[in-house]
Amino acid sequence: MTEAGSLKLGVLAWNQFTDWPSLRDAGVRADELGYDSLWTWDHLYPIVGDPNGPMLEGYTTLAAWAALTKRITLGLMVGANTFRNPAIVAKMVTTLDHISNGRAYLGIGGAWFETEHTAFGIPFGSSPGERLNWFDEAVELIRGMLHEEETSARGRYYHAENVRNVPPPVQRHLPILIGGSGERKTLATVARYADAWNTGGGLERVEQKDAVLRRWCEEVGRDESEIERTLQGGSPVIRETLEEAKRAGQAIADHNGWPDHRGPFGTPETIAESLLPQVELGFHHVYFDLPAPYDRETLERLASEVKPLLERAIAKPTA
């Protein structure tokens, strides 16, 4: 969890349109630069650009990174609940926690990309609502496996019975991070079971979703301050001029097969300024998307220049 007044910086290295040596080195470099968290996607087909391109699997990537890094936390942003039995997911992330000596996050969401489900023959459900019902039961089971001596599934969708997770995680409380902002179901699941919640967007949207989460916490009797807020900070490209940044961004877009790069683009100061309102709201764990080919200058300057700017801003005393 993030202490009040502190800031955590993360990087999500895209596992599409890349090879293992490049993805490996991006994760190791993030650890060397002092990033707090390292993430990758849980998809089987690329989700940006041509879905027929190359894609590496998420959990095996995390396990390899765990053996190669020293201090950075590791997780999926976020795991697709539909891909795996949730009891097995709890076992997998526990093993990841042992490999990494207590650096695992369990990131999970309801799943959304129908194309990969159809191609791989994975049940997708009849609607988002049905998948979110599966998801709510799955997270309850996972939480029980991570934090209790034995637990059982609620029973409508999953059927684990008195299941034990031995050995338990290295961490006393391995955090569950939920990604998604659906106000009727997803944020209710966050309020009941999550240790961290991920969302993104502009200040107005983030404020609205945060307010809904607070209402759900009040309804279920949860202290909302127990839930770490994480923010998707875009896929920035940092250079000395806007023109340079946009040129570098277009090269990244070309590599991934989409028309243009979404950015943001600019200097460390402009990137920090764009994030400051959400950080001041309480989203003190910010991560950035890093597409292949991994932009080393941006990776380094986010850690060395953007993070100190945001840290200084939230450390200022309020009137």
Side-chain angles (χ1 to χ4, degrees):
M1 303 296 289
T2 306
E3 297 178 1
S6 65
L7 183 83
K8 291 165 68 175
L9 204 68
V11 60
L12 190 160
W14 291 12
N15 44 340
Q16 68 165 43
F17 287 93
T18 191
D19 53 48
W20 169 239
S22 300
L23 184 59
R24 175 197 64 204
D25 292 349
V28 170
R29 185 60 180 148
D31 187 47
E32 293 170 344
L33 289 169
Y35 278 84
D36 299 282
S37 61
L38 176 61
W39 313 87
T40 199
W41 284 331
D42 192 25
H43 287 286
L44 305 172
Y45 275 7
I47 60 171
V48 181
D50 183 1
N52 296 307
M55 191 84 185
L56 296 173
E57 196 277 328
Y59 261 116
T60 44
T61 296
L62 295 180
W65 274 340
L68 295 167
T69 56
K70 297 177 181 178
R71 50 166 302 281
I72 201 166
T73 62
L74 303 155
L76 296 177
M77 189 64 80
V78 286
N81 178 59
T82 49
F83 286 1
R84 307 169 188 88
N85 179 288
I88 301 300
V89 171
K91 194 71 174 172
M92 291 170 67
V93 79
T94 297
T95 302
L96 178 66
D97 205 46
H98 281 264
I99 297 169
S100 65
N101 193 28
R103 294 184 283 126
Y105 265 75
L106 196 155
I108 194 165
W112 60 270
F113 191 29
E114 186 172 6
T115 298
E116 62 192 353
H117 288 76
T118 301
F120 281 81
I122 299 170
F124 191 58
S126 61
S127 67
E130 182 177 28
R131 289 193 300 279
L132 291 174
N133 289 338
W134 298 351
F135 175 64
D136 188 74
E137 185 176 328
V139 179
E140 181 184 42
L141 172 60
I142 288 168
R143 187 176 180 91
M145 286 189 64
L146 293 179
H147 306 314
E148 299 171 15
E149 186 173 333
E150 66 178 35
T151 193
S152 298
R154 195 181 305 158
R156 186 175 179 187
Y157 304 104
Y158 302 110
H159 304 287
E161 184 175 347
N162 300 323
V163 60
R164 301 171 65 88
N165 186 28
V166 182
V170 173
Q171 297 178 75
R172 184 183 61 83
H173 190 95
L174 194 158
I176 297 172
L177 178 145
I178 290 177
S181 299
E183 297 182 8
R184 191 167 67 89
K185 290 190 174 184
T186 302
L187 292 178
T189 301
V190 173
R192 283 191 288 265
Y193 305 122
D195 303 292
W197 166 55
N198 179 71
T199 192
L203 179 60
E204 184 177 348
R205 179 184 186 277
V206 172
E207 281 184 317
Q208 175 190 338
K209 300 300 182 180
D210 190 65
V212 173
L213 176 60
R214 289 169 185 265
R215 290 199 296 271
W216 272 115
C217 286
E218 184 175 355
E219 182 168 327
V220 303
R222 179 86 184 275
D223 181 353
E224 57 85 17
S225 68
E226 294 176 356
I227 302 172
E228 179 182 33
R229 270 57 161 191
T230 73
L231 180 73
Q232 200 278 341
S235 179
V237 180
I238 296 176
R239 294 293 189 272
E240 288 304 307
T241 68
L242 181 61
E243 292 72 21
E244 288 180 278
K246 287 186 174 180
R247 281 197 299 271
Q250 188 58 52
I252 295 170
D254 292 344
H255 176 88
N256 283 271
W258 81 95
D260 50 44
H261 196 295
R262 291 170 293 181
F265 307 99
T267 64
E269 291 77 14
T270 58
I271 302 301
E273 184 179 354
S274 71
L275 295 167
L276 188 56
Q278 295 94 315
V279 171
E280 289 177 332
L281 184 64
F283 286 75
H284 290 176
H285 189 165
V286 182
Y287 77 90
F288 300 96
D289 283 289
L290 186 70
Y294 308 109
D295 182 6
R296 195 177 187 93
E297 180 173 347
T298 295
L299 184 65
E300 292 175 355
R301 298 184 75 174
L302 285 168
S304 64
E305 299 177 57
V306 174
K307 184 178 183 181
L309 289 171
L310 292 173
E311 286 176 326
R312 284 198 293 272
I314 64 173
K316 290 179 180 177
T318 57

